Amino acid sequence: MNPLSKLELPPKLEPYRKEIEKTCKPYIHINTVMNSPKLYESKFGGNPYLPLEANHPLDSQGKPMLLMAQINFSEVPVPSYENMPIQGMLQFFICGTDNENTGDVYGLDFDHPTAQKDFRVVFYEDVTTDEKKLTTDFTYLEDIDRDMFPIPQEVGLQFEIRIEPVSPTDYRYNDIELDLFDDEETEEIYWDELTGEYHKIGGYAFFTQSDPRAYDEVLRAYDVLLLQFAMDDEADIMFGDAGVANFFIKEEDLRNRNFRDVLYNWDCC
């Protein structure tokens, strides 16, 4: 079966299916699950996978950062074109809201969005399920302010491969020149229905405001969406005011498992 046949479109966009499908890319859709994941399983929030010999990531003030997400790739069906790992643990940390420098912006430095001072991306190639080899006492995190942290509770994750067309807020929407629509109303339907606003790995990014790569040629090198973290009513997840967070990486760095140079962005309404 042609995977493009699985793309669902609003009825008014059906006449444009052929051209829309030309923009489609596979991506890994992430569903949140209200359970209690183990330390070595994929999750949003909670305590991290942390081998005994490893150090907990610290922010610019020397305080432990909080786990935003961790992806155990052995649980993930991975499209090979993105050069994603087939195993290993990828983690995303951001500073708590008690960081005097960036707490209210969740660790983002708008002038230097790749500087991992108050956010951190960590990768463990080998993952153990033996909790005797892992840190299990996280009482040192109890003093970290979580009042405004985007994830109020730990949730598990499930993954599936889907396809999606270019999202209208990804800078490539203009590059592709989807000059298809006969009227503004039809294009508005595209903007309203095909936003790409969900948790995912790969594919096209969603922004509530604008893609920072649209006006900075240097940032366009960060061409792989490593993780998108969207609003989730069921899991009570929200970045700012109905916001979304994105992490991007250069394809070569991903292929080489180099996660030191990652573009972090988030925006909200």
Side-chain angles (χ1 to χ4, degrees), residues 148-183:
M148 300 299 292
F149 197 64
I151 317 158
Q153 58 187 326
E154 178 183 69
V155 295
L157 305 177
Q158 292 180 341
F159 309 90
E160 59 180 313
I161 295 180
R162 297 184 183 178
I163 60 170
E164 64 177 358
V166 61
S167 66
T169 51
D170 189 298
Y171 80 90
R172 287 167 288 191
Y173 180 83
N174 293 324
D175 286 359
I176 290 172
E177 296 183 353
L178 253 179
D179 188 16
L180 307 173
F181 308 115
D182 298 328
D183 53 69

PDB file of all heavy atoms in Angstrom, residues 148-183:
ATOM      1  N   MET A 148       5.971  26.409  37.522  1.00  0.00           N
ATOM      2  CA  MET A 148       5.618  26.781  36.156  1.00  0.00           C
ATOM      3  C   MET A 148       6.221  25.817  35.127  1.00  0.00           C
ATOM      4  O   MET A 148       6.238  26.124  33.941  1.00  0.00           O
ATOM      5  CB  MET A 148       6.099  28.210  35.869  1.00  0.00           C
ATOM      6  CG  MET A 148       5.488  29.266  36.781  1.00  0.00           C
ATOM      7  SD  MET A 148       3.693  29.354  36.619  1.00  0.00           S
ATOM      8  CE  MET A 148       3.556  29.992  34.953  1.00  0.00           C
ATOM      9  N   PHE A 149       6.683  24.668  35.600  1.00  0.00           N
ATOM     10  CA  PHE A 149       7.292  23.709  34.680  1.00  0.00           C
ATOM     11  C   PHE A 149       6.223  23.177  33.732  1.00  0.00           C
ATOM     12  O   PHE A 149       5.092  22.913  34.149  1.00  0.00           O
ATOM     13  CB  PHE A 149       7.931  22.558  35.465  1.00  0.00           C
ATOM     14  CG  PHE A 149       8.912  21.753  34.666  1.00  0.00           C
ATOM     15  CD1 PHE A 149      10.073  22.330  34.184  1.00  0.00           C
ATOM     16  CD2 PHE A 149       8.678  20.412  34.386  1.00  0.00           C
ATOM     17  CE1 PHE A 149      10.986  21.593  33.451  1.00  0.00           C
ATOM     18  CE2 PHE A 149       9.584  19.667  33.648  1.00  0.00           C
ATOM     19  CZ  PHE A 149      10.744  20.260  33.182  1.00  0.00           C
ATOM     20  N   PRO A 150       6.546  23.043  32.434  1.00  0.00           N
ATOM     21  CA  PRO A 150       5.512  22.682  31.449  1.00  0.00           C
ATOM     22  C   PRO A 150       4.863  21.322  31.664  1.00  0.00           C
ATOM     23  O   PRO A 150       3.773  21.068  31.157  1.00  0.00           O
ATOM     24  CB  PRO A 150       6.277  22.700  30.125  1.00  0.00           C
ATOM     25  CG  PRO A 150       7.491  23.524  30.372  1.00  0.00           C
ATOM     26  CD  PRO A 150       7.835  23.317  31.804  1.00  0.00           C
ATOM     27  N   ILE A 151       5.547  20.431  32.404  1.00  0.00           N
ATOM     28  CA  ILE A 151       5.050  19.069  32.576  1.00  0.00           C
ATOM     29  C   ILE A 151       4.758  18.827  34.054  1.00  0.00           C
ATOM     30  O   ILE A 151       5.675  18.592  34.838  1.00  0.00           O
ATOM     31  CB  ILE A 151       6.080  18.039  32.083  1.00  0.00           C
ATOM     32  CG1 ILE A 151       6.688  18.491  30.762  1.00  0.00           C
ATOM     33  CG2 ILE A 151       5.461  16.663  31.950  1.00  0.00           C
ATOM     34  CD1 ILE A 151       8.005  17.881  30.461  1.00  0.00           C
ATOM     35  N   PRO A 152       3.508  18.890  34.489  1.00  0.00           N
ATOM     36  CA  PRO A 152       3.190  18.761  35.905  1.00  0.00           C
ATOM     37  C   PRO A 152       3.281  17.337  36.436  1.00  0.00           C
ATOM     38  O   PRO A 152       3.348  17.135  37.643  1.00  0.00           O
ATOM     39  CB  PRO A 152       1.746  19.266  35.982  1.00  0.00           C
ATOM     40  CG  PRO A 152       1.182  18.990  34.639  1.00  0.00           C
ATOM     41  CD  PRO A 152       2.319  19.164  33.677  1.00  0.00           C
ATOM     42  N   GLN A 153       3.295  16.339  35.541  1.00  0.00           N
ATOM     43  CA  GLN A 153       3.332  14.949  35.969  1.00  0.00           C
ATOM     44  C   GLN A 153       4.077  14.115  34.942  1.00  0.00           C
ATOM     45  O   GLN A 153       4.155  14.459  33.770  1.00  0.00           O
ATOM     46  CB  GLN A 153       1.906  14.409  36.124  1.00  0.00           C
ATOM     47  CG  GLN A 153       1.085  14.496  34.850  1.00  0.00           C
ATOM     48  CD  GLN A 153      -0.356  14.114  35.063  1.00  0.00           C
ATOM     49  OE1 GLN A 153      -0.667  13.248  35.872  1.00  0.00           O
ATOM     50  NE2 GLN A 153      -1.249  14.773  34.356  1.00  0.00           N
ATOM     51  N   GLU A 154       4.634  13.015  35.409  1.00  0.00           N
ATOM     52  CA  GLU A 154       5.343  12.097  34.530  1.00  0.00           C
ATOM     53  C   GLU A 154       4.338  11.314  33.692  1.00  0.00           C
ATOM     54  O   GLU A 154       3.341  10.803  34.199  1.00  0.00           O
ATOM     55  CB  GLU A 154       6.173  11.148  35.382  1.00  0.00           C
ATOM     56  CG  GLU A 154       6.937  10.094  34.623  1.00  0.00           C
ATOM     57  CD  GLU A 154       7.659   9.156  35.575  1.00  0.00           C
ATOM     58  OE1 GLU A 154       6.980   8.382  36.273  1.00  0.00           O
ATOM     59  OE2 GLU A 154       8.890   9.202  35.622  1.00  0.00           O
ATOM     60  N   VAL A 155       4.605  11.225  32.389  1.00  0.00           N
ATOM     61  CA  VAL A 155       3.738  10.444  31.503  1.00  0.00           C
ATOM     62  C   VAL A 155       4.588   9.582  30.582  1.00  0.00           C
ATOM     63  O   VAL A 155       5.684   9.969  30.173  1.00  0.00           O
ATOM     64  CB  VAL A 155       2.803  11.341  30.663  1.00  0.00           C
ATOM     65  CG1 VAL A 155       1.830  12.084  31.552  1.00  0.00           C
ATOM     66  CG2 VAL A 155       3.584  12.323  29.801  1.00  0.00           C
ATOM     67  N   GLY A 156       4.087   8.400  30.255  1.00  0.00           N
ATOM     68  CA  GLY A 156       4.767   7.519  29.330  1.00  0.00           C
ATOM     69  C   GLY A 156       4.486   7.903  27.892  1.00  0.00           C
ATOM     70  O   GLY A 156       3.632   8.747  27.603  1.00  0.00           O
ATOM     71  N   LEU A 157       5.208   7.268  26.969  1.00  0.00           N
ATOM     72  CA  LEU A 157       5.103   7.611  25.554  1.00  0.00           C
ATOM     73  C   LEU A 157       4.928   6.356  24.705  1.00  0.00           C
ATOM     74  O   LEU A 157       5.474   5.295  25.015  1.00  0.00           O
ATOM     75  CB  LEU A 157       6.352   8.355  25.081  1.00  0.00           C
ATOM     76  CG  LEU A 157       6.760   9.612  25.857  1.00  0.00           C
ATOM     77  CD1 LEU A 157       8.052  10.186  25.294  1.00  0.00           C
ATOM     78  CD2 LEU A 157       5.656  10.646  25.853  1.00  0.00           C
ATOM     79  N   GLN A 158       4.159   6.503  23.628  1.00  0.00           N
ATOM     80  CA  GLN A 158       4.046   5.480  22.600  1.00  0.00           C
ATOM     81  C   GLN A 158       4.318   6.128  21.246  1.00  0.00           C
ATOM     82  O   GLN A 158       4.054   7.323  21.064  1.00  0.00           O
ATOM     83  CB  GLN A 158       2.656   4.837  22.616  1.00  0.00           C
ATOM     84  CG  GLN A 158       2.379   3.992  23.854  1.00  0.00           C
ATOM     85  CD  GLN A 158       0.996   3.370  23.828  1.00  0.00           C
ATOM     86  OE1 GLN A 158       0.107   3.807  23.101  1.00  0.00           O
ATOM     87  NE2 GLN A 158       0.802   2.336  24.642  1.00  0.00           N
ATOM     88  N   PHE A 159       4.813   5.337  20.298  1.00  0.00           N
ATOM     89  CA  PHE A 159       5.275   5.881  19.029  1.00  0.00           C
ATOM     90  C   PHE A 159       4.665   5.130  17.854  1.00  0.00           C
ATOM     91  O   PHE A 159       4.434   3.926  17.922  1.00  0.00           O
ATOM     92  CB  PHE A 159       6.799   5.777  18.940  1.00  0.00           C
ATOM     93  CG  PHE A 159       7.533   6.335  20.131  1.00  0.00           C
ATOM     94  CD1 PHE A 159       7.843   5.523  21.216  1.00  0.00           C
ATOM     95  CD2 PHE A 159       7.901   7.669  20.182  1.00  0.00           C
ATOM     96  CE1 PHE A 159       8.519   6.029  22.313  1.00  0.00           C
ATOM     97  CE2 PHE A 159       8.578   8.189  21.270  1.00  0.00           C
ATOM     98  CZ  PHE A 159       8.882   7.372  22.342  1.00  0.00           C
ATOM     99  N   GLU A 160       4.430   5.857  16.776  1.00  0.00           N
ATOM    100  CA  GLU A 160       4.012   5.241  15.527  1.00  0.00           C
ATOM    101  C   GLU A 160       4.455   6.121  14.366  1.00  0.00           C
ATOM    102  O   GLU A 160       4.537   7.343  14.489  1.00  0.00           O
ATOM    103  CB  GLU A 160       2.497   5.038  15.486  1.00  0.00           C
ATOM    104  CG  GLU A 160       1.692   6.314  15.624  1.00  0.00           C
ATOM    105  CD  GLU A 160       0.198   6.062  15.588  1.00  0.00           C
ATOM    106  OE1 GLU A 160      -0.249   5.310  14.691  1.00  0.00           O
ATOM    107  OE2 GLU A 160      -0.520   6.618  16.444  1.00  0.00           O
ATOM    108  N   ILE A 161       4.770   5.488  13.248  1.00  0.00           N
ATOM    109  CA  ILE A 161       5.181   6.232  12.059  1.00  0.00           C
ATOM    110  C   ILE A 161       3.942   6.668  11.287  1.00  0.00           C
ATOM    111  O   ILE A 161       3.053   5.867  11.007  1.00  0.00           O
ATOM    112  CB  ILE A 161       6.108   5.397  11.175  1.00  0.00           C
ATOM    113  CG1 ILE A 161       7.424   5.112  11.906  1.00  0.00           C
ATOM    114  CG2 ILE A 161       6.399   6.122   9.855  1.00  0.00           C
ATOM    115  CD1 ILE A 161       8.405   4.293  11.108  1.00  0.00           C
ATOM    116  N   ARG A 162       3.893   7.944  10.968  1.00  0.00           N
ATOM    117  CA  ARG A 162       2.829   8.498  10.149  1.00  0.00           C
ATOM    118  C   ARG A 162       3.470   9.356   9.055  1.00  0.00           C
ATOM    119  O   ARG A 162       4.692   9.500   9.006  1.00  0.00           O
ATOM    120  CB  ARG A 162       1.873   9.360  10.987  1.00  0.00           C
ATOM    121  CG  ARG A 162       1.132   8.605  12.082  1.00  0.00           C
ATOM    122  CD  ARG A 162       0.150   9.533  12.787  1.00  0.00           C
ATOM    123  NE  ARG A 162      -0.529   8.880  13.901  1.00  0.00           N
ATOM    124  CZ  ARG A 162      -1.409   9.504  14.686  1.00  0.00           C
ATOM    125  NH1 ARG A 162      -1.715  10.787  14.463  1.00  0.00           N
ATOM    126  NH2 ARG A 162      -1.984   8.850  15.682  1.00  0.00           N
ATOM    127  N   ILE A 163       2.647   9.930   8.201  1.00  0.00           N
ATOM    128  CA  ILE A 163       3.142  10.884   7.221  1.00  0.00           C
ATOM    129  C   ILE A 163       2.396  12.198   7.396  1.00  0.00           C
ATOM    130  O   ILE A 163       1.283  12.228   7.947  1.00  0.00           O
ATOM    131  CB  ILE A 163       2.979  10.384   5.765  1.00  0.00           C
ATOM    132  CG1 ILE A 163       1.499  10.133   5.456  1.00  0.00           C
ATOM    133  CG2 ILE A 163       3.825   9.165   5.516  1.00  0.00           C
ATOM    134  CD1 ILE A 163       1.238   9.879   3.995  1.00  0.00           C
ATOM    135  N   GLU A 164       3.028  13.284   6.969  1.00  0.00           N
ATOM    136  CA  GLU A 164       2.389  14.590   7.066  1.00  0.00           C
ATOM    137  C   GLU A 164       2.860  15.475   5.920  1.00  0.00           C
ATOM    138  O   GLU A 164       3.999  15.348   5.451  1.00  0.00           O
ATOM    139  CB  GLU A 164       2.695  15.258   8.406  1.00  0.00           C
ATOM    140  CG  GLU A 164       4.159  15.575   8.621  1.00  0.00           C
ATOM    141  CD  GLU A 164       4.425  16.300   9.930  1.00  0.00           C
ATOM    142  OE1 GLU A 164       3.474  16.597  10.665  1.00  0.00           O
ATOM    143  OE2 GLU A 164       5.607  16.558  10.215  1.00  0.00           O
ATOM    144  N   PRO A 165       2.012  16.394   5.479  1.00  0.00           N
ATOM    145  CA  PRO A 165       2.433  17.384   4.492  1.00  0.00           C
ATOM    146  C   PRO A 165       3.150  18.532   5.192  1.00  0.00           C
ATOM    147  O   PRO A 165       3.144  18.625   6.430  1.00  0.00           O
ATOM    148  CB  PRO A 165       1.111  17.850   3.883  1.00  0.00           C
ATOM    149  CG  PRO A 165       0.143  17.731   5.015  1.00  0.00           C
ATOM    150  CD  PRO A 165       0.581  16.522   5.814  1.00  0.00           C
ATOM    151  N   VAL A 166       3.764  19.401   4.417  1.00  0.00           N
ATOM    152  CA  VAL A 166       4.476  20.527   4.998  1.00  0.00           C
ATOM    153  C   VAL A 166       3.514  21.367   5.840  1.00  0.00           C
ATOM    154  O   VAL A 166       2.384  21.645   5.434  1.00  0.00           O
ATOM    155  CB  VAL A 166       5.139  21.384   3.899  1.00  0.00           C
ATOM    156  CG1 VAL A 166       4.118  21.963   2.935  1.00  0.00           C
ATOM    157  CG2 VAL A 166       6.008  22.478   4.509  1.00  0.00           C
ATOM    158  N   SER A 167       3.949  21.713   7.028  1.00  0.00           N
ATOM    159  CA  SER A 167       3.110  22.557   7.884  1.00  0.00           C
ATOM    160  C   SER A 167       3.256  24.020   7.443  1.00  0.00           C
ATOM    161  O   SER A 167       4.336  24.434   7.015  1.00  0.00           O
ATOM    162  CB  SER A 167       3.497  22.408   9.356  1.00  0.00           C
ATOM    163  OG  SER A 167       4.794  22.908   9.588  1.00  0.00           O
ATOM    164  N   PRO A 168       2.205  24.804   7.536  1.00  0.00           N
ATOM    165  CA  PRO A 168       2.252  26.166   6.994  1.00  0.00           C
ATOM    166  C   PRO A 168       3.169  27.116   7.749  1.00  0.00           C
ATOM    167  O   PRO A 168       3.506  28.170   7.224  1.00  0.00           O
ATOM    168  CB  PRO A 168       0.793  26.627   7.075  1.00  0.00           C
ATOM    169  CG  PRO A 168       0.164  25.760   8.104  1.00  0.00           C
ATOM    170  CD  PRO A 168       0.860  24.441   8.024  1.00  0.00           C
ATOM    171  N   THR A 169       3.603  26.745   8.980  1.00  0.00           N
ATOM    172  CA  THR A 169       4.512  27.626   9.719  1.00  0.00           C
ATOM    173  C   THR A 169       5.971  27.202   9.597  1.00  0.00           C
ATOM    174  O   THR A 169       6.858  27.928  10.031  1.00  0.00           O
ATOM    175  CB  THR A 169       4.113  27.699  11.202  1.00  0.00           C
ATOM    176  OG1 THR A 169       3.962  26.370  11.727  1.00  0.00           O
ATOM    177  CG2 THR A 169       2.809  28.471  11.376  1.00  0.00           C
ATOM    178  N   ASP A 170       6.238  26.035   9.033  1.00  0.00           N
ATOM    179  CA  ASP A 170       7.605  25.620   8.726  1.00  0.00           C
ATOM    180  C   ASP A 170       8.093  26.454   7.541  1.00  0.00           C
ATOM    181  O   ASP A 170       7.351  26.656   6.571  1.00  0.00           O
ATOM    182  CB  ASP A 170       7.624  24.131   8.384  1.00  0.00           C
ATOM    183  CG  ASP A 170       9.026  23.553   8.266  1.00  0.00           C
ATOM    184  OD1 ASP A 170       9.789  24.004   7.380  1.00  0.00           O
ATOM    185  OD2 ASP A 170       9.359  22.648   9.048  1.00  0.00           O
ATOM    186  N   TYR A 171       9.341  26.952   7.609  1.00  0.00           N
ATOM    187  CA  TYR A 171       9.826  27.860   6.557  1.00  0.00           C
ATOM    188  C   TYR A 171       9.776  27.226   5.175  1.00  0.00           C
ATOM    189  O   TYR A 171       9.694  27.919   4.163  1.00  0.00           O
ATOM    190  CB  TYR A 171      11.244  28.342   6.877  1.00  0.00           C
ATOM    191  CG  TYR A 171      12.348  27.366   6.543  1.00  0.00           C
ATOM    192  CD1 TYR A 171      12.965  27.376   5.293  1.00  0.00           C
ATOM    193  CD2 TYR A 171      12.794  26.426   7.477  1.00  0.00           C
ATOM    194  CE1 TYR A 171      13.971  26.488   4.977  1.00  0.00           C
ATOM    195  CE2 TYR A 171      13.803  25.529   7.162  1.00  0.00           C
ATOM    196  CZ  TYR A 171      14.388  25.566   5.917  1.00  0.00           C
ATOM    197  OH  TYR A 171      15.381  24.678   5.613  1.00  0.00           O
ATOM    198  N   ARG A 172       9.773  25.911   5.116  1.00  0.00           N
ATOM    199  CA  ARG A 172       9.766  25.226   3.822  1.00  0.00           C
ATOM    200  C   ARG A 172       8.412  25.330   3.113  1.00  0.00           C
ATOM    201  O   ARG A 172       8.318  25.043   1.913  1.00  0.00           O
ATOM    202  CB  ARG A 172      10.181  23.767   4.010  1.00  0.00           C
ATOM    203  CG  ARG A 172      11.671  23.622   4.297  1.00  0.00           C
ATOM    204  CD  ARG A 172      12.040  22.253   4.782  1.00  0.00           C
ATOM    205  NE  ARG A 172      11.567  22.026   6.144  1.00  0.00           N
ATOM    206  CZ  ARG A 172      11.937  20.982   6.878  1.00  0.00           C
ATOM    207  NH1 ARG A 172      12.758  20.074   6.370  1.00  0.00           N
ATOM    208  NH2 ARG A 172      11.494  20.831   8.107  1.00  0.00           N
ATOM    209  N   TYR A 173       7.391  25.732   3.827  1.00  0.00           N
ATOM    210  CA  TYR A 173       6.095  25.963   3.185  1.00  0.00           C
ATOM    211  C   TYR A 173       6.235  27.013   2.082  1.00  0.00           C
ATOM    212  O   TYR A 173       5.695  26.867   0.989  1.00  0.00           O
ATOM    213  CB  TYR A 173       5.074  26.424   4.224  1.00  0.00           C
ATOM    214  CG  TYR A 173       3.688  26.706   3.692  1.00  0.00           C
ATOM    215  CD1 TYR A 173       2.770  25.682   3.504  1.00  0.00           C
ATOM    216  CD2 TYR A 173       3.288  28.002   3.388  1.00  0.00           C
ATOM    217  CE1 TYR A 173       1.488  25.935   3.027  1.00  0.00           C
ATOM    218  CE2 TYR A 173       2.021  28.267   2.901  1.00  0.00           C
ATOM    219  CZ  TYR A 173       1.123  27.227   2.721  1.00  0.00           C
ATOM    220  OH  TYR A 173      -0.136  27.496   2.243  1.00  0.00           O
ATOM    221  N   ASN A 174       6.987  28.066   2.369  1.00  0.00           N
ATOM    222  CA  ASN A 174       7.218  29.112   1.361  1.00  0.00           C
ATOM    223  C   ASN A 174       8.230  28.667   0.311  1.00  0.00           C
ATOM    224  O   ASN A 174       8.112  29.013  -0.868  1.00  0.00           O
ATOM    225  CB  ASN A 174       7.689  30.392   2.037  1.00  0.00           C
ATOM    226  CG  ASN A 174       6.619  31.014   2.909  1.00  0.00           C
ATOM    227  OD1 ASN A 174       5.442  30.972   2.573  1.00  0.00           O
ATOM    228  ND2 ASN A 174       7.018  31.566   4.046  1.00  0.00           N
ATOM    229  N   ASP A 175       9.220  27.880   0.733  1.00  0.00           N
ATOM    230  CA  ASP A 175      10.216  27.411  -0.222  1.00  0.00           C
ATOM    231  C   ASP A 175       9.607  26.467  -1.256  1.00  0.00           C
ATOM    232  O   ASP A 175       9.977  26.476  -2.433  1.00  0.00           O
ATOM    233  CB  ASP A 175      11.354  26.689   0.512  1.00  0.00           C
ATOM    234  CG  ASP A 175      12.267  27.651   1.255  1.00  0.00           C
ATOM    235  OD1 ASP A 175      12.024  28.861   1.171  1.00  0.00           O
ATOM    236  OD2 ASP A 175      13.212  27.197   1.909  1.00  0.00           O
ATOM    237  N   ILE A 176       8.679  25.641  -0.798  1.00  0.00           N
ATOM    238  CA  ILE A 176       8.045  24.687  -1.699  1.00  0.00           C
ATOM    239  C   ILE A 176       7.095  25.393  -2.652  1.00  0.00           C
ATOM    240  O   ILE A 176       6.781  24.898  -3.732  1.00  0.00           O
ATOM    241  CB  ILE A 176       7.304  23.605  -0.879  1.00  0.00           C
ATOM    242  CG1 ILE A 176       8.327  22.711  -0.165  1.00  0.00           C
ATOM    243  CG2 ILE A 176       6.391  22.762  -1.747  1.00  0.00           C
ATOM    244  CD1 ILE A 176       7.719  21.745   0.823  1.00  0.00           C
ATOM    245  N   GLU A 177       6.655  26.583  -2.244  1.00  0.00           N
ATOM    246  CA  GLU A 177       5.746  27.383  -3.072  1.00  0.00           C
ATOM    247  C   GLU A 177       4.470  26.606  -3.383  1.00  0.00           C
ATOM    248  O   GLU A 177       4.145  26.303  -4.524  1.00  0.00           O
ATOM    249  CB  GLU A 177       6.435  27.830  -4.370  1.00  0.00           C
ATOM    250  CG  GLU A 177       7.616  28.761  -4.124  1.00  0.00           C
ATOM    251  CD  GLU A 177       8.241  29.262  -5.415  1.00  0.00           C
ATOM    252  OE1 GLU A 177       7.834  28.789  -6.481  1.00  0.00           O
ATOM    253  OE2 GLU A 177       9.108  30.142  -5.336  1.00  0.00           O
ATOM    254  N   LEU A 178       3.756  26.291  -2.324  1.00  0.00           N
ATOM    255  CA  LEU A 178       2.483  25.590  -2.479  1.00  0.00           C
ATOM    256  C   LEU A 178       1.429  26.569  -2.989  1.00  0.00           C
ATOM    257  O   LEU A 178       0.482  26.913  -2.296  1.00  0.00           O
ATOM    258  CB  LEU A 178       2.056  25.017  -1.117  1.00  0.00           C
ATOM    259  CG  LEU A 178       2.167  23.508  -0.932  1.00  0.00           C
ATOM    260  CD1 LEU A 178       1.724  23.130   0.458  1.00  0.00           C
ATOM    261  CD2 LEU A 178       1.355  22.763  -1.956  1.00  0.00           C
ATOM    262  N   ASP A 179       1.631  26.995  -4.208  1.00  0.00           N
ATOM    263  CA  ASP A 179       0.714  27.961  -4.808  1.00  0.00           C
ATOM    264  C   ASP A 179      -0.407  27.191  -5.510  1.00  0.00           C
ATOM    265  O   ASP A 179      -0.499  27.146  -6.732  1.00  0.00           O
ATOM    266  CB  ASP A 179       1.472  28.851  -5.795  1.00  0.00           C
ATOM    267  CG  ASP A 179       0.615  30.001  -6.302  1.00  0.00           C
ATOM    268  OD1 ASP A 179      -0.422  30.273  -5.671  1.00  0.00           O
ATOM    269  OD2 ASP A 179       0.974  30.584  -7.334  1.00  0.00           O
ATOM    270  N   LEU A 180      -1.242  26.555  -4.679  1.00  0.00           N
ATOM    271  CA  LEU A 180      -2.219  25.625  -5.210  1.00  0.00           C
ATOM    272  C   LEU A 180      -3.640  26.148  -5.176  1.00  0.00           C
ATOM    273  O   LEU A 180      -4.475  25.756  -5.978  1.00  0.00           O
ATOM    274  CB  LEU A 180      -2.197  24.332  -4.367  1.00  0.00           C
ATOM    275  CG  LEU A 180      -0.858  23.639  -4.161  1.00  0.00           C
ATOM    276  CD1 LEU A 180      -1.044  22.511  -3.164  1.00  0.00           C
ATOM    277  CD2 LEU A 180      -0.340  23.117  -5.471  1.00  0.00           C
ATOM    278  N   PHE A 181      -3.889  26.979  -4.201  1.00  0.00           N
ATOM    279  CA  PHE A 181      -5.268  27.210  -3.811  1.00  0.00           C
ATOM    280  C   PHE A 181      -5.927  28.305  -4.649  1.00  0.00           C
ATOM    281  O   PHE A 181      -5.330  29.326  -4.977  1.00  0.00           O
ATOM    282  CB  PHE A 181      -5.325  27.542  -2.321  1.00  0.00           C
ATOM    283  CG  PHE A 181      -4.605  26.518  -1.480  1.00  0.00           C
ATOM    284  CD1 PHE A 181      -3.481  26.861  -0.754  1.00  0.00           C
ATOM    285  CD2 PHE A 181      -5.046  25.205  -1.434  1.00  0.00           C
ATOM    286  CE1 PHE A 181      -2.804  25.914   0.011  1.00  0.00           C
ATOM    287  CE2 PHE A 181      -4.384  24.253  -0.681  1.00  0.00           C
ATOM    288  CZ  PHE A 181      -3.263  24.599   0.044  1.00  0.00           C
ATOM    289  N   ASP A 182      -7.187  28.072  -4.952  1.00  0.00           N
ATOM    290  CA  ASP A 182      -7.927  28.995  -5.810  1.00  0.00           C
ATOM    291  C   ASP A 182      -8.390  30.239  -5.068  1.00  0.00           C
ATOM    292  O   ASP A 182      -8.680  31.259  -5.677  1.00  0.00           O
ATOM    293  CB  ASP A 182      -9.150  28.284  -6.398  1.00  0.00           C
ATOM    294  CG  ASP A 182      -8.745  27.115  -7.277  1.00  0.00           C
ATOM    295  OD1 ASP A 182      -7.673  27.212  -7.899  1.00  0.00           O
ATOM    296  OD2 ASP A 182      -9.485  26.121  -7.331  1.00  0.00           O
ATOM    297  N   ASP A 183      -8.470  30.134  -3.736  1.00  0.00           N
ATOM    298  CA  ASP A 183      -8.970  31.270  -2.971  1.00  0.00           C
ATOM    299  C   ASP A 183      -8.388  31.239  -1.567  1.00  0.00           C
ATOM    300  O   ASP A 183      -7.841  30.233  -1.117  1.00  0.00           O
ATOM    301  CB  ASP A 183     -10.506  31.233  -2.905  1.00  0.00           C
ATOM    302  CG  ASP A 183     -11.010  29.894  -2.388  1.00  0.00           C
ATOM    303  OD1 ASP A 183     -10.800  29.598  -1.204  1.00  0.00           O
ATOM    304  OD2 ASP A 183     -11.600  29.134  -3.178  1.00  0.00           O
TER     305      ASP A 183
END
